[in-house]
Amino acid sequence: MDKLVIEGGVPLTGSIDVSGSKNAALPILFASILLSEPVTYTNVPDLRDIHTTLKLLDMLGCPCSYQDRRVEVTPGDLRPEAPYDLVRTMRASVLCLGPLLARIGQARVALPGGCAIGARPVDQHLKGLEQMGARFELEEGYIIGRCRKLKGAHITFDLPTVGGTENLLMAAVLAEGESILENAAREPEVVDLANFLLACGARIEGQGTSCLRVQGVSSLHGAEYAVMADRIEAGTFLVAAGITGGELLLRHCPFAELEAVILKLQSMGMDITATPDGVLAKCGCPLRGADITTQPYPGFPTDMQAQIMALMCLADGASVVEESIFENRFMHVLELMRMGAQIKVSGHTAMVRGVSRLTGAPVMASDLRASASLVLAGLAARGVTEVRRIYHLDRGYERIENKLNAVGARIRREAE
């Protein structure tokens, strides 16, 4: 197990290339199950979750290869079981459920694992698939689904769910007849999945809105498709510029998809502008406190909550963070307090009072975005910070220490 050792206090300056989006790549890779021809993906990030997905696809009957962020998948004779040993490490594994039912009418998928940030039930996935004709049983920790042929249905989600929207969208493209998905998630990663499916011959309308209309087709062909850039990685590097008082140019940064984050960072005193070469972020003035409430897209993303909280720790005045998506996503708070932050948590709300400096300390990462928050705090802190359990970080950031060292950070990876 590795840890990151960070010597803080250095303003970051230079350019960073934003990687492909993990949260877009995962459902798009699982959509390979739907295809009757080989498919090629580019701009696929080199991450643990990606390689776990490729292993799972191979076990399901879709042999894969990965080289230089390029993935080739050849759908073959499909097998219905997604075993616990793989699924337990990654919640997105449940996204093979809809495609398997659509292609072969059966699936045996272990209940998913992932980060410990609260309950993320799959009931919306199952409820929608049942409306399309599937039947489910829970047996020894596995979801067992069967159907003769999925039928189009009019489905209204109880609340916007990214994974649920993606699973049902993939199922609907091969279902008989028309499907309407209302109160659907609007996240850019859902739009990217829809765009990929369209490139393969699907018939979808309404992507980017809360109502998706899908006309089922008999088969999907192959394509070559480039995965969108990672808006959460980009947002993390924007915060890195602000928290260190530096200046970073982010190439391939999805500016429009980060509007809620950029507006909030600008309100805190950062200067962020889109240029022909990328997005330029700098902070030459004292930071100001701000209030945020996490919301489904286009609101402030829950996946950026921990990172902006690290920035708030060094901003003048008080900031309030309300977490409305997950009930257990303040696990980074105690670790930030070990570094000198002043934070009080009450239920789903955290009050952050800015301090003049943070001090390096040994800290423990609890989940993916908490890991990023602690790395950001370490970059700004006086002294040395050790971030342990960074296997969480490696699930969502492509060797983040290399990118940060290239712009002036002092980070090294060591065996714990």
Side-chain angles (χ1 to χ4, degrees), residues 84-101:
Y84 174 72
D85 283 346
L86 280 177
V87 173
R88 69 183 175 86
T89 65
M90 187 182 68
R91 177 176 170 76
S93 303
V94 77
L95 293 176
C96 67
L97 189 61
L100 284 172
L101 289 169

Side-chain angles (χ1 to χ4, degrees), residues 91-378:
R91 177 176 170 76
S93 303
V94 77
L95 293 176
C96 67
L97 189 61
L100 284 172
L101 289 169
R103 275 298 304 278
I104 61 174
Q106 57 180 320
R108 189 171 188 268
V109 181
L111 285 168
C115 286
I117 58 173
R120 294 188 283 181
V122 296
D123 60 311
Q124 294 290 295
H125 305 232
L126 304 185
K127 178 182 174 183
L129 289 168
E130 283 178 337
Q131 287 182 251
M132 300 174 75
R135 294 294 176 263
F136 294 99
E137 299 174 3
L138 183 61
E139 182 180 290
E140 297 178 342
Y142 280 79
I143 301 167
I144 300 174
R146 297 182 181 88
C147 66
R148 289 185 178 178
K149 176 66 177 177
L150 293 178
K151 309 286 187 181
H154 192 150
I155 297 164
T156 302
F157 293 104
D158 294 339
L159 70 167
T161 160
V162 173
T165 301
E166 291 167 341
N167 229 339
L168 295 181
L169 175 61
M170 288 188 283
V173 295
L174 290 184
E176 288 183 357
E178 181 181 69
S179 295
I180 298 174
L181 308 181
E182 295 208 57
N183 200 23
R186 300 166 57 190
E187 271 71 5
E189 295 79 13
V190 177
V191 176
D192 209 31
L193 172 62
N195 289 339
F196 166 69
L197 293 170
L198 285 167
C200 296
R203 298 173 61 190
I204 304 168
E205 297 177 355
Q207 57 268 36
T209 75
S210 59
C211 182
L212 294 170
R213 189 179 295 269
V214 185
Q215 303 292 336
V217 297
S218 59
S219 64
L220 295 177
H221 55 73
E224 181 166 328
Y225 191 80
V227 175
M228 68 174 285
D230 193 320
R231 63 190 174 105
I232 304 303
E233 185 194 57
T236 301
F237 291 137
L238 292 177
V239 174
I243 203 167
T244 64
E247 181 174 326
L248 294 176
L249 177 70
L250 303 188
R251 292 188 288 254
H252 316 300
C253 177
F255 187 83
E257 291 82 355
L258 272 171
E259 181 179 19
V261 173
I262 289 172
L263 288 174
K264 191 58 64 174
L265 292 176
Q266 288 172 333
S267 77
M268 295 180 70
M270 288 191 65
D271 183 4
I272 303 173
T273 54
T275 75
D277 298 320
V279 175
L280 184 64
K282 55 186 176 180
C283 188
C285 60
L287 292 164
R288 302 181 292 271
D291 298 341
I292 66 163
T293 299
T294 61
Q295 296 174 327
Y297 189 85
F300 193 94
T302 181
D303 278 356
M304 278 299 302
Q305 178 257 106
Q307 296 93 309
I308 201 168
M309 186 183 291
L311 188 66
M312 291 170 171
C313 291
L314 291 172
D316 289 340
S319 302
V320 176
V321 177
E322 183 180 354
E323 176 56 62
S324 69
I325 308 296
F326 295 122
E327 73 276 11
N328 196 24
R329 206 160 197 179
F330 285 147
M331 298 175 72
H332 49 283
V333 167
L334 290 177
E335 303 304 304
L336 289 171
M337 291 174 67
R338 286 172 51 79
M339 301 177 69
Q342 292 189 12
I343 308 171
K344 291 184 178 180
V345 175
S346 176
H348 298 293
T349 303
M351 170 82 72
V352 185
R353 190 165 297 279
V355 297
S356 59
R357 70 179 186 184
L358 297 174
T359 305
V363 291
M364 193 81 71
S366 57
D367 61 71
L368 170 55
R369 305 307 172 185
S371 306
S373 170
L374 299 177
V375 169
L376 291 168

Side-chain angles (χ1 to χ4, degrees), residues 391-408:
Y391 59 85
H392 291 295
L393 193 71
D394 291 338
R395 289 184 48 238
Y397 293 89
E398 227 179 334
R399 282 280 175 172
I400 193 172
E401 72 273 19
N402 293 349
K403 291 190 176 186
L404 291 172
N405 282 335
V407 292

